[in-house]
Amino acid sequence: MNVILSGPDSCGKTTLADRLVEKYMMDVIHSTATTRNTLEYHLDLLDYHDNTVFDRHCVGEMVFPKLYGREPKITVSEFYKILDRVVENNDIYVLFVCSNPDILKERLIERGETDYLREIEDQCKLYNDVASMMMTYLIGYKNFYICDISLPNAYDRLYNWVDNHMNKKTVNVAYRQVCKDLYEKGHIMETRNIRGGTKELCNYMFTIDDLDSEYVSLVTGKSNLTYLAAEILWYWSSRNDTEFIGKFGPMWKKLSDDGIHANSAYGYILKEKFGFNQIEKIVELLTVDPYSRRAVMNINVPNENVIETKDEPCTVCLDYQIRNGKLHCTCVMRSNDVNFGLRNDLGFFISLQKYIAERLHVPVGTYTHFAMSIHFYDRDTKFVKDVAYGTMESINEILDIKTLIDCKDVLIDWIDNHFTTKEEFKNLLKAYHIIYEKSSIN
């Protein structure tokens, strides 16, 4: 996670930067009038640096050209494109403003920087104008903070806010790190698997603490939102037939032991297989005893055909705990393919956690994923490398999983009785505004 600081002279950027360097061991890059300050320059800073403080950034090109009467090095649309990348990276952006320029004038005099006195009021006005632009464009983005230093206790509130937002991991950030760790640190596993060589890490764990989005949306991640929507609907249908999901993923019939049923139909396992609904039982348990340590949903259970089967469930269990007033989930996997398995599992498991949290009327907390073996096959080497070292640019479509679940009955009926093509299914999802294009981050 990077932290971007912008604001008028003597507003406190350097003091905050020094604090971040000391507390979080961050690097600092200071942009000035002599740096390139183009679109490519700012995107490169965001894409190829991590744990870095950017002291001044793109906002300067919205301010100083107007102040000094020169051509800006980025356009307004390019400025918004940079802000999009900030959001995709889940970086922190702190914009300092000052509604009382006299405060800054006093500081400049104390520092002997009197040359800036004649322009500081104009700086404050221009930064206030940019703040209005950014507030409108970044509405809903929780890592954006405007600090008016003229307000009481402004710096104390800012420092507390920064500490509460530092190093939060989104699904995309976590997934990219998994791929990077596998590519750089994974070891070759000796296997009889006919799919070729496998590179794995054993007993691997990561935690996601920003669950605004449930699924991988990186451009390099190649997420198929149509398939993900169908798989989630299949799970919520409580069925284990391959006829349903086979319309979207033919491999399910190949994995089936009898060509008809799937052993890894998580919805069927959770809601039907054991004669009761595990999801409802967990909701009941945590309602009766919010601090229970028994809220475990079991998926992989003893199987006398474990040697012969082609489809042994990868997920062992899902554990839920309410701590500090939030619902946390830990998923334990015996085995996880980082390309196909992990991407789609995250979408279902996190959306299920949100569903249970909503039923319990508590906020969602963290999602922790533990895999005894997380791996990729030779055929996916380029994919894993592209994710590991690519940018955090996200796809231009959004899948609203909550609305998907709300509309599940009519969509499941359409798949069962009216299915034609996957493209028509996607069109149906668009008609219900379940998949839609993002024109901007808000």
Side-chain angles (χ1 to χ4, degrees):
M1 171 178 275
N2 298 312
V3 178
I4 305 160
L5 310 177
S6 294
D9 290 313
S10 72
C11 64
K13 298 187 299 298
T14 302
T15 302
L16 176 55
D18 291 343
R19 181 178 182 274
L20 293 168
V21 168
E22 180 179 355
K23 187 167 185 176
Y24 298 102
M25 295 178 289
M26 301 183 78
D27 298 322
V28 177
I29 294 178
H30 183 67
S31 296
T32 68
T34 61
T35 48
R36 288 187 294 131
N37 298 324
T38 60
L39 171 66
E40 293 74 17
Y41 170 80
H42 291 108
L43 290 180
D44 284 348
L45 288 180
L46 296 171
D47 289 340
Y48 300 111
H49 294 273
D50 192 20
N51 202 43
T52 300
V53 180
F54 300 127
D55 187 350
R56 294 194 184 276
H57 202 251
C58 56
V59 168
E61 285 303 306
M62 298 290 103
V63 171
F64 291 103
K66 295 177 180 177
L67 195 64
Y68 299 142
R70 67 169 173 82
E71 284 295 316
K73 296 179 181 178
I74 59 172
T75 65
V76 172
S77 62
E78 289 174 334
F79 175 63
Y80 288 146
K81 185 172 183 179
I82 296 167
L83 295 184
D84 284 338
R85 189 60 54 83
V86 170
V87 174
E88 291 165 348
N89 290 4
N90 203 43
D91 290 330
I92 289 175
Y93 208 124
V94 176
L95 181 64
F96 292 87
V97 297
C98 184
S99 56
N100 181 8
D102 288 340
I103 295 174
L104 299 182
K105 289 179 182 180
E106 291 177 7
R107 292 182 185 177
L108 290 171
I109 292 171
E110 289 174 2
R111 297 177 183 182
E113 299 175 358
T114 54
D115 289 346
Y116 295 107
L117 286 174
R118 60 180 178 272
E119 70 178 48
I120 198 64
E121 288 193 18
D122 289 335
Q123 280 194 33
C124 289
K125 181 182 181 304
L126 289 167
Y127 273 104
N128 284 337
D129 291 343
V130 177
S132 297
M133 291 172 58
M134 294 178 71
M135 285 176 62
T136 301
Y137 194 77
L138 293 173
I139 187 170
Y141 183 55
K142 58 190 177 184
N143 283 348
F144 174 57
Y145 189 91
I146 296 178
C147 178
D148 187 343
I149 65 167
S150 63
L151 298 178
N153 303 313
Y155 292 111
D156 289 339
R157 292 199 303 271
L158 169 62
Y159 296 160
N160 288 333
W161 182 90
V162 170
D163 288 339
N164 288 330
H165 287 73
M166 279 296 295
N167 298 322
K168 298 291 187 181
K169 276 189 178 180
T170 62
V171 171
N172 281 343
V173 170
Y175 189 69
R176 188 191 194 198
Q177 187 63 53
V178 173
C179 289
K180 189 173 183 181
D181 287 345
L182 268 174
Y183 189 81
E184 294 181 353
K185 304 172 187 177
H187 58 270
I188 302 298
M189 179 177 63
E190 295 182 7
T191 176
R192 61 182 177 84
N193 197 308
I194 60 173
R195 286 173 286 189
T198 305
K199 200 171 185 179
E200 74 166 355
L201 287 170
C202 294
N203 298 325
Y204 184 91
M205 184 178 75
F206 62 87
T207 295
I208 302 169
D209 42 27
D210 183 340
L211 300 181
D212 280 358
S213 179
E214 305 93 341
Y215 57 89
V216 177
S217 59
L218 295 169
V219 169
T220 53
K222 298 181 179 178
S223 294
N224 185 332
L225 298 187
T226 305
Y227 174 82
L228 177 59
E231 185 171 284
I232 290 174
L233 286 173
W234 183 48
Y235 292 149
W236 279 99
S237 73
S238 309
R239 290 153 42 179
N240 65 346
D241 60 300
T242 59
E243 180 64 25
F244 182 103
I245 195 62
K247 296 173 181 177
F248 302 92
M251 77 286 181
W252 280 101
K253 293 185 177 181
K254 296 178 182 178
L255 288 173
S256 170
D257 290 332
D258 61 5
I260 300 173
H261 303 97
N263 297 337
S264 295
Y266 292 150
Y268 171 77
I269 295 171
L270 293 176
K271 300 170 75 173
E272 299 288 343
K273 182 175 181 178
F274 302 109
F276 71 101
N277 188 321
Q278 293 193 68
I279 300 173
E280 292 302 316
K281 184 58 68 174
I282 291 305
V283 171
E284 180 184 354
L285 169 61
L286 290 176
T287 300
V288 173
D289 181 5
Y291 294 100
S292 176
R293 297 185 294 271
R294 301 180 180 183
V296 179
M297 297 196 296
N298 292 286
I299 294 177
N300 188 303
V301 294
N303 178 13
E304 64 179 352
N305 298 317
V306 66
I307 298 175
E308 298 84 7
T309 184
K310 292 185 289 185
D311 182 18
E312 180 72 2
C314 294
T315 307
V316 177
C317 66
L318 296 165
D319 175 83
Y320 298 92
Q321 292 184 338
I322 297 178
R323 297 294 184 269
N324 300 318
K326 296 180 179 181
L327 180 72
H328 305 275
C329 175
T330 298
C331 172
V332 179
M333 309 283 295
R334 65 166 184 85
S335 175
N336 222 185
D337 164 28
V338 77
N339 182 354
F340 188 78
L342 179 60
R343 279 186 297 138
N344 294 307
D345 288 341
L346 289 173
F348 175 60
F349 293 150
I350 294 175
S351 63
L352 180 58
Q353 179 183 356
K354 286 185 173 182
Y355 171 82
I356 294 173
E358 184 177 11
R359 291 282 305 278
L360 293 169
H361 306 291
V362 298
V364 69
T366 60
Y367 172 87
T368 298
H369 194 90
F370 179 84
M372 298 172 209
S373 168
I374 196 160
H375 51 265
F376 68 90
Y377 305 109
D378 282 347
R379 64 173 183 263
D380 294 326
T381 300
K382 183 179 183 304
F383 167 82
V384 172
K385 183 178 180 181
D386 288 345
V387 174
Y389 303 111
T391 72
M392 295 296 292
E393 182 181 0
S394 62
I395 58 179
N396 197 43
E397 289 183 325
I398 292 173
L399 172 64
D400 185 339
I401 295 181
K402 185 179 186 303
T403 302
L404 174 74
I405 295 172
D406 290 342
C407 299
K408 64 182 184 301
D409 292 339
V410 65
L411 294 171
I412 289 169
D413 177 75
W414 186 89
I415 293 170
D416 280 336
N417 301 306
H418 308 287
F419 179 84
T420 50
T421 64
K422 288 181 280 189
E423 188 62 32
E424 283 301 309
F425 176 63
K426 184 173 184 178
N427 289 337
L428 184 62
L429 295 175
K430 289 181 177 180
Y432 280 92
H433 205 60
I434 294 168
I435 289 182
Y436 56 92
E437 290 188 3
K438 59 169 187 178
S439 55
S440 69
I441 60 166
N442 57 357

